[in-house]
Amino acid sequence: MTACKLSVNINKIATLRNARGGTIPNVVKAAIDIERFGAEGITVHPRPDERHIRFRDVYELKECVTTEFNIEGYPSEGFLKLVESVKPHQVTLVPDSPDVLTSNAGWNAIREQAFLKNVIERLKQKCLRVSLFMDTDLKQIDAAATTGTDRIELYTERYASGYEKSAQQAIADYQKAASHASTLNMGVNAGHDLNLNNLNYFIKNIPQVIEVSIGHALISDALYFGLQNTVQMYKHQIKSARE
Ligand code: PXP
C-alpha cells in the first residue's frame, strides 16, 4: 500500500508564543525539530489577523523547512501574494472567514466554481500544487475536479466526532468520497480533529489518503508525551495502518 505522509500543523506553537509576545516557544526551531523527529511535512495556516502564525513566520519557515511545506488559508489577495512569493510545495485552499475559530466546512465548489478556477489557474502559473478543503458530498467533489485542483483535503471533523459511537458508520462517507476523488484523478489528503485514537482506523480503511495534516491533538499530546515521542507515536499509527 502507498505511504501516507504526516504533516504537522504548527499553528498552536505560534498561539502559545503569541500569548507572551516574545519568541518562546520558537516556531522555526519547533518546525526543524518536528522534521528531525520524523514528520514528513510542516503545515501553517496564516490568518489575516495573524493570531497564530504570522506572515513573517511563513517567510522564516520557508528558509528552514526541508520536508513538504504546506500553507493553508482563504485565498484573499494577501494570501495569494504570500504563497506566490514563498512558493511552498502545496497550497491548501480553505473557505473560512477571517473571524472563524478554526476551519469548519469544506468548499461549496458548485457555488464557487468560477472563483476557484481563477484562483487555481493563477497558482498553477507559479507551478504550485493545490489542494481544496472539502466535505464528502460527491457532487461537490465532482465540482472540485472541474477547478483544476491537484488534490482535495477531506474535512474529517464529522469522522472524528462519530468515531466513538460507530467507526464504521463514521468512515463510510469518507471511503466513498476518497475513492470518487481518486477516479477523478485527484490526490486525497485529510485533516481536522484526527488524533491518536481515530487516526489508524482512518488510514487503514482509506488507502487513497496520501497525507494527513494534524495540529491540535498532536501538540496537546506533546504536553504529556513530549514532542519527539508524540511525533513518533503518530507516525507509528500511520505506518502500522499501511503495513
Ligand atoms: N486542515 C485544515 C484545512 C485546517 O484548517 C486545520 C486546522 O488548522 C487542520 C487541517 C488541522 O486540524 P487539527 O488542528 O484539528 O488537527
Side-chain angles (χ1 to χ4, degrees):
M1 242 197 263
T2 49
C4 174
K5 283 186 178 178
L6 170 65
S7 183
V8 175
N9 180 319
I10 59 169
N11 272 16
K12 285 281 147 39
I13 293 175
T15 306
L16 192 56
R17 176 200 59 191
N18 297 353
R20 272 290 166 98
T23 55
I24 299 173
N26 186 299
V27 168
V28 169
K29 181 178 184 315
I32 294 170
D33 288 339
I34 286 167
E35 291 183 317
R36 191 161 51 86
F37 300 151
E40 291 109 346
I42 297 292
T43 292
V44 293
H45 190 146
R47 288 196 158 85
D49 61 5
E50 301 195 306
R51 65 177 184 265
H52 30 62
I53 285 290
R54 300 181 180 134
F55 278 38
R56 218 182 87 198
D57 294 325
V58 181
Y59 286 100
E60 287 178 9
L61 285 164
K62 166 68 183 174
E63 297 306 313
C64 69
V65 170
T66 55
T67 58
E68 184 189 287
F69 193 26
N70 174 42
I71 306 182
E72 308 169 345
Y74 180 82
S76 61
E77 188 54 32
F79 177 84
L80 290 172
K81 286 214 166 92
L82 175 76
V83 294
E84 281 169 341
S85 118
V86 170
K87 295 196 174 63
H89 300 97
Q90 178 172 269
V91 180
T92 301
L93 302 176
V94 181
D96 56 356
S97 57
D99 54 337
V100 78
L101 198 58
T102 180
S103 311
N104 55 14
W107 283 99
N108 183 336
I110 298 172
R111 195 183 61 206
E112 307 288 350
Q113 200 172 29
F115 171 67
L116 289 171
K117 260 188 191 168
N118 276 340
V119 165
I120 291 170
E121 203 177 294
R122 179 169 161 180
L123 296 174
K124 290 272 137 201
Q125 276 166 16
K126 299 279 176 190
C127 301
L128 294 167
R129 188 173 85 215
V130 180
S131 179
L132 287 183
F133 196 50
M134 296 297 296
D135 294 303
T136 55
D137 185 312
L138 300 186
K139 289 209 164 56
Q140 289 291 350
I141 290 172
D142 283 334
T146 69
T147 63
T149 192
D150 303 285
R151 295 189 185 183
I152 59 166
E153 177 183 328
L154 290 172
Y155 173 41
T156 45
E157 188 280 332
R158 209 160 38 83
Y159 163 71
S161 60
Y163 175 81
E164 294 298 338
K165 196 166 162 219
S166 164
Q168 215 180 344
Q169 242 174 39
I171 206 169
D173 285 348
Y174 289 86
Q175 289 174 309
K176 287 182 206 138
S179 103
H180 192 60
S182 208
T183 61
L184 295 168
N185 291 321
M186 294 183 290
V188 180
N189 297 342
H192 225 286
D193 299 302
L194 294 174
N195 61 36
L196 284 174
N197 288 333
N198 62 33
L199 179 61
N200 182 278
Y201 186 82
F202 192 81
I203 305 286
K204 190 184 275 178
N205 290 289
I206 311 189
Q208 294 87 359
V209 175
I210 47 180
E211 180 178 322
V212 284
S213 134
I214 307 182
H216 186 78
L218 190 153
I219 301 301
S220 304
D221 286 336
L223 294 174
Y224 287 90
F225 306 125
L227 197 49
Q228 180 162 10
N229 279 334
T230 304
V231 170
Q232 285 163 9
M233 287 158 88
Y234 275 79
K235 286 257 301 182
H236 177 72
Q237 293 299 321
I238 294 171
K239 198 161 169 265
S240 61
R242 285 287 160 93
E243 275 166 359

